[in-house]
Amino acid sequence: MPKTSSPSSTATRRRLLLGYAGTCLLAWLLFVLAGTELQRGLWQLWEAAYQATLTLWAPMLLGVAVLPWASWLSGRERALFALLGWHLLAATLFSLTWLALDYSVALLFFGSEHADAMLAQSVLWRAIWGLLAYAATVTGFSGALNARRAKGLAVAAAQAESALARAELSAISGKLNPHFLFNTLNSIIALTRKDAKAAESALLRFSGMLRYVLATKREATERVTLQEELDFLRDYLALEALRLGARLKVEWELEEATLQDEIPPLTLQPLVENSIVHGIAPRTQGGCITISASRDAMTQGLNLCVRDDGQGCDPDRLETASERPGIGLGALRRRFSLDYEGRARLRVHTAPGAGFRVDLWIPQT
């Protein structure tokens, strides 16, 4: 089955040939300009144009054939000596073909005597110029093709990494802690025996949470408003409170002007979950989680902060140990490094006995 060129490959070759045509035109004009430098006049101009055309038409035409040759060479891995051998062979063929074309034109228009005399005079210089013209042409085409290929590889790598980050965020969306789900259901079952109305309210919150998670997964939503994220977070904390009771305290420090700012879905929930699992639940007396949102006066970006007054941890162990395991922090770091053109920031502040704090800065322009 014959191999067909992709549309992008065809477009690339078309652009390269257009660039080559422009370069040839510039070389022809410079040749004409050099020919008329010493003697000015209309006749000298025509003569210079004639000489430029007669001299350059053959190598310019042969240069078009160098593009597929350079593409073929650059598409395969070869040893250096093998590559040099291929280029030497092609350069020799380029020079010989140039001489043959010049000889054929001279023979056609001026006869064999003139063609033989011209060949005898120009064979050495034509051979040298042929090698140089081939080297310049193949270098230009190869450089452009390699640059194009490197750009394509870089784009593919960035897309693959972005897809990985989206997959990780998708995993977060579908990875509400199973223990949380089971504990919540057990708490709701127990609540139905004591307070049916409170159990009904808890079920509605639970349903709202699942709807939010499923909606962000199904619609592949990349942004939600901070208000939507906070509503989801309140439902999550209310259900955690069924299990932790008075041990879980939550403080909100929210600026009204930030509630319609846009953020990636499930940005805050993994951070709050980490605080509950590692900072609040292990302590008999429980603890307090503070969630704040404010406008950055300098950049007009959104400042978010989730902090707890738990035991904290050694910051040196965050990257290598399992002090605060889970996909949340790592996935958010990766997402922020790829999204928002790399401008979003995530910073962790913690120390043994000093709680755990995560600061986010998310651009809004």
Side-chain angles (χ1 to χ4, degrees), residues 299-318:
T299 64
Q300 298 303 305
L302 173 63
N303 288 323
L304 295 173
C305 176
V306 176
R307 66 178 186 271
D308 64 66
D309 57 0
Q311 289 301 314
C313 65
D314 185 345
D316 293 336
R317 300 184 60 185
L318 281 176

Side-chain angles (χ1 to χ4, degrees), residues 217-229:
K217 282 179 66 66
R218 183 174 57 249
E219 299 170 8
T221 305
E222 294 185 357
R223 300 285 187 271
V224 296
T225 64
L226 177 60
Q227 181 67 67
E228 292 173 311
E229 181 77 357

